[in-house]
C-alpha cells in the first residue's frame, strides 16, 4: 500500500494513512529520546526542530513529491463534500459530526477527514506507558492585584467523538459506508493546527468540494447545499473560495444551528503586538452584508477555521508540511498563496454555521501546553520558542524583509525553515 501510494500510480487512503502513521511513530520515538536527555545535555529548541525536519524529509516529502501539480485521486463531479476536521482534545467533535450529517441536505455525499488528537490516559496501548491527562489553565479566582488566578488539574481521558458518532444508532450507517476517515494521535504527538490540517488534507478521496472547519461547530439546515449554491454564485467560480469567521455560540445545541445570520467580510488586518506572534499580520472582520447584495463580495483573506472551495484548490495550493507548532501566520500565508495561484476569495452572504470561540478562561487544553509537558517545560514557553522559529518561514514567504530574507536566514543559521519553500510559496 505504501509503495503503491508513493509510486504515484496506485494511491489509496490506506496507503496515505500508513505513511502518516510511520511519520507519527518516528516522531514519537524521537520526542521520547529528546525528552529523556538530562542537563547539561537537555534538548534545545533547534534539536527538536531539526529532528522534525529529518523525519518529515523521510516520510512526508516523498508523499507530496509524488503528487505535486496533480490531484491524488480523480475529482468527482457528483457534488460530494469533504469536510476537513482537525480536533484537539475536543468534547464537541461528536456533536459537530452529528450536526454536519443531520443538517445536510445530502448526507450521503458528505465525507469526513478527522484528525483526532486526544489524551488517551495512563494505559493507552499494551506495553506503552501513558500520561496523566490534564486540563487547560482553569481560572479559580482573583489575585491581590486583580488578575486571574489559574491552575491545571488532573483530568480523565478525552471523549472519543468518532466513537460517539459511529456508535450512535442514527449515524452508524455513515461510518459503515466509509464516509468517516479518522487518524488518531496522542496529544503528545500534536504539532499544532497547521500540521493537523495538513494531515486532514491527505485524507481527501476525490470529493468535488474541500471544506476546512474546526471541530466545535453547529450547522444550519441544508448548509451543504446553501454553501454550494453560494460558491456557484461567485463571479470567479470554479476558482473561488468562500471564507468567514462564523458567529459564535456558548450554549451547546448538539451541533444544530436553528437560524441563519448576515455574513461579514474579512477585509481588515493589523500587525500583531504580541511578542509570541512576532508582528505577524492578523486578519479581522470588517463590514457585514446589508441583505440586498445580488452576489457574494470579494475579500482579501481566508480564515483557517472555515473555507469552502472546489477540490482543485488542493492541487494549486497544497498544504505546507513544514509548519509544525504554528498557530499564527497560516491565514495570511494561505490567503496570499491562494490569490497568487488564481483563486479569488469571497465572503458568504449568510452564516450557515456557528463556531464555539474558546478564550483561555474556559480552561480547555491547548496544544502548546502538551508540547511543554513532553519536553519537561510546563507552560507555553517551549512551544512559543518553537513557534517563533517556524514563524520565520511564514514571514519569509509573505515578504518580511527586515528579518526573513533567504540571505538573512542562512546568515543566522536558520536555513531549516526554508525547506522546500519553492513548492509552498507564490
Amino acid at each position: 500500500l505504501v509503495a503503491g501510494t508513493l509510486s504515484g500510480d496506485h494511491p489509496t487512503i490506506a496507503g496515505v494513512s500508513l505513511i502518516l502513521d510511520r511519520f507519527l511513530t518516528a516522531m514519537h520515538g524521537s520526542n521520547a529520546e529528546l525528552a529523556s536527555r538530562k542537563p547539561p545535555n537537555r534538548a534545545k529548541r533547534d534539536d527538536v526542530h531539526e529532528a522534525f525536519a529529518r523525519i518529515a524529509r523521510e516520510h512526508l516529502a516523498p508523499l507530496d513529491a509524488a503528487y505535486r501539480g496533480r490531484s491524488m485521486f480523480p475529482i468527482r463531479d457528483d457534488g460530494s463534500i469533504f469536510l476537513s476536521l482537525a480536533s484537539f482534545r475536543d468534547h464537541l467533535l461528536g456533536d459537530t459530526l452529528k450536526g454536519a450529517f443531520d443538517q445536510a441536505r445530502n448526507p450521503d455525499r458528505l465525507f469526513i477527514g478527522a484528525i483526532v488528537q486526544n489524551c488517551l490516559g495512563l494505559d493507552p496501548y499494551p506495553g506503552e506507558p501513558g500520561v496523566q491527562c490534564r486540563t487547560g489553565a482553569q481560572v479559580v479566582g482573583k489575585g491581590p492585584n486583580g488578575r486571574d488566578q489559574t491552575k491545571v488539574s488532573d483530568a480523565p481521558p478525552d471523549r472519543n467523538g468518532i466513537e460517539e458518532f459511529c456508535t450512535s444508532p442514527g449515524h452508524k450507517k455513515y461510518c459503515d459506508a466509509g464516509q468517516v476517515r479518522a487518524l488518531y494521535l496522542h496529544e503528545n504527538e500534536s504539532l499544532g493546527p497547521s500540521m493537523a490540517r495538513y494531515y486532514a488534507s491527505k485524507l481527501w478521496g476525490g470529493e468535488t468540494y474541500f471544506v476546512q472547519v474546526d471541530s466545535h461547530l453547529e450547522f444550519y439546515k441544508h448548509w451543504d447545499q446553501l454553501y454550494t449554491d453560494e460558491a456557484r454564485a461567485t463571479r470567479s467560480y470554479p476558482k473561488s473560495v468562500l471564507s468567514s469567521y462564523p458567529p459564535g455560540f456558548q450554549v451547546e445545541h448538539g451541533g444544530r444551528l436553528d437560524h441563519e445570520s448576515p455574513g461579514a467580510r474579512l477585509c481588515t488586518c493589523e500587525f500583531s503586538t504580541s511578542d509570541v506572534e512576532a508582528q505577524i499580520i492578523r486578519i479581522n472582520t470588517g463590514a457585514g452584508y446589508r441583505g440586498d447584495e445580488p452576489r457574494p463580495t470579494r475579500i482579501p483573506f481566508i480564515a483557517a477555521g472555515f473555507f469552502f472551495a472546489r477540490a482543485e484548490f488542493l492541487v494549486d495550493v497544497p498544504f505546507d508540511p513544514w509548519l509544525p507548532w504554528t498557530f499564527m501566520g497560516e491565514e495570511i500565508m494561505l490567503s496570499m498563496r491562494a490569490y497568487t495561484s488564481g483563486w479569488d476569495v469571497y465572503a458568504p452572504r449568510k452564516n450557515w454555521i456557528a463556531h464555539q470561540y474558546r478564550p483561555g478562561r474556559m480552561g480547555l487544553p491547548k496544544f502548546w501546553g502538551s508540547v511543554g509537558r513532553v519536553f519537561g517545560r510546563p507552560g507555553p514557553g517551549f512551544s512559543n520558542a518553537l513557534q517563533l522559529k517556524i514563524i520565520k518561514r511564514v514571514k519569509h514567504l509573505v515578504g518580511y524583509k527586515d528579518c526573513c530574507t533567504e540571505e538573512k536566514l542562512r546568515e543566522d543559521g536558520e536555513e531549516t525553515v526554508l525547506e522546500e519553500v519553492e513548492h509552498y510559496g507564490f
Side-chain angles (χ1 to χ4, degrees):
L1 291 172
V2 169
T5 299
L6 290 178
S7 73
D9 297 326
H10 303 289
T12 59
I13 295 294
V16 171
S17 298
L18 285 169
I19 292 166
L20 296 177
D21 181 71
R22 290 181 178 183
F23 167 76
L24 291 167
T25 299
M27 284 296 299
H28 177 80
S30 174
N31 285 346
E33 189 279 323
L34 289 168
S36 70
R37 296 182 186 179
K38 306 297 182 185
N41 299 314
R42 199 178 192 188
K44 299 180 176 63
R45 177 192 72 170
D46 288 354
D47 297 329
V48 175
H49 180 250
E50 287 167 11
F52 161 83
R54 170 178 52 80
I55 296 167
R57 285 186 210 111
E58 180 180 355
H59 296 284
L60 302 183
L63 176 61
D64 281 3
Y67 299 95
R68 186 159 289 128
R70 63 190 179 102
S71 63
M72 185 176 293
F73 301 101
I75 300 174
R76 305 194 298 275
D77 196 22
D78 58 0
S80 53
I81 290 176
F82 176 83
L83 201 62
S84 166
L85 284 165
S87 171
F88 183 80
R89 302 191 61 188
D90 201 328
H91 67 285
L92 289 183
L93 173 59
D95 283 350
T96 296
L97 292 171
K98 292 174 183 177
F101 279 91
D102 291 347
Q103 298 286 74
R105 181 175 181 179
N106 299 297
D108 57 318
R109 299 207 297 254
L110 178 61
F111 294 79
I112 305 296
I115 307 304
V116 185
Q117 304 165 101
N118 274 1
C119 180
L120 305 178
L122 292 169
D123 189 23
Y125 316 111
E128 178 81 7
V131 297
Q132 174 60 56
C133 300
R134 304 280 279 169
T135 66
Q138 300 168 308
V139 177
V140 294
K142 294 286 186 181
N145 57 4
R147 294 183 178 179
D148 289 339
Q149 290 184 316
T150 63
K151 72 171 184 177
V152 175
S153 306
D154 289 349
D158 295 321
R159 291 165 53 180
N160 184 339
I162 301 295
E163 182 180 39
E164 291 176 0
F165 178 78
C166 290
T167 57
S168 167
H171 305 100
K172 181 177 182 294
K173 60 185 178 182
Y174 302 117
C175 301
D176 292 344
Q179 290 177 244
V180 178
R181 307 160 194 153
L183 179 71
Y184 291 89
L185 54 151
H186 195 280
E187 62 159 333
N188 287 354
E189 273 69 67
S190 174
L191 295 172
S194 295
M195 284 301 294
R197 288 165 179 151
Y198 166 83
Y199 305 148
S201 75
K202 297 304 182 189
L203 300 181
W204 171 82
E207 292 76 25
T208 310
Y209 297 99
F210 178 88
V211 185
Q212 181 168 285
V213 294
D214 287 336
S215 56
H216 30 274
L217 294 186
E218 295 180 343
F219 295 82
Y220 184 66
K221 185 178 180 180
H222 295 172
W223 66 272
D224 53 335
Q225 189 64 57
L226 290 166
Y227 279 120
T228 299
D229 292 344
E230 190 75 347
R232 289 178 171 273
T234 62
R235 292 188 183 277
S236 303
Y237 185 83
K239 297 201 72 171
S240 55
V241 181
L242 297 176
S243 192
S244 68
Y245 285 155
F249 71 89
Q250 290 303 319
V251 178
E252 299 165 11
H253 303 99
R256 292 171 175 262
L257 180 65
D258 63 5
H259 63 281
E260 60 184 12
S261 59
R265 304 171 178 91
L266 296 173
C267 57
T268 65
C269 65
E270 62 185 355
F271 289 98
S272 173
T273 57
S274 165
D275 291 340
V276 176
E277 296 170 5
Q279 294 186 316
I280 201 65
I281 296 172
R282 298 191 64 142
I283 66 176
N284 294 306
T285 299
Y289 282 105
R290 298 184 306 273
D292 57 355
E293 292 82 0
R295 61 178 64 245
T297 303
R298 279 184 63 183
I299 56 174
F301 303 121
I302 295 177
F306 169 65
F307 73 84
F308 184 111
R310 282 191 60 94
E312 287 86 354
F313 185 88
L314 295 174
V315 178
D316 295 342
V317 193
F319 281 77
D320 188 342
W322 302 99
L323 292 174
W325 308 292
T326 300
F327 185 71
M328 291 305 303
E330 62 174 327
E331 292 181 323
I332 185 61
M333 190 164 71
L334 188 63
S335 302
M336 293 176 70
R337 291 182 63 206
Y339 182 76
T340 56
S341 296
W343 291 78
D344 291 332
V345 188
Y346 292 82
R349 288 169 290 178
K350 296 288 181 100
N351 295 305
W352 297 300
I353 58 174
H355 177 278
Q356 187 182 71
Y357 293 94
R358 296 176 161 183
R361 291 184 60 85
M362 291 183 71
L364 297 175
K366 308 292 186 183
F367 87 90
W368 49 79
S370 299
V371 174
R373 285 194 293 273
V374 167
F375 296 102
R377 279 91 151 179
F382 194 63
S383 178
N384 290 347
L386 287 162
Q387 175 168 283
L388 286 170
K389 182 182 182 74
I390 304 302
I391 208 167
K392 293 179 181 179
R393 177 182 180 87
V394 176
K395 295 175 85 170
H396 169 76
L397 287 168
V398 303
Y400 282 65
K401 301 296 186 183
D402 58 330
C403 68
C404 301
T405 62
E406 181 176 350
E407 180 181 14
K408 177 65 173 172
L409 290 170
R410 294 192 184 280
E411 180 183 310
D412 293 345
E414 299 280 25
E415 58 270 13
T416 52
V417 304
L418 296 172
E419 290 278 354
E420 297 192 312
V421 290
E422 67 274 18
H423 300 307
Y424 302 101
F426 314 129

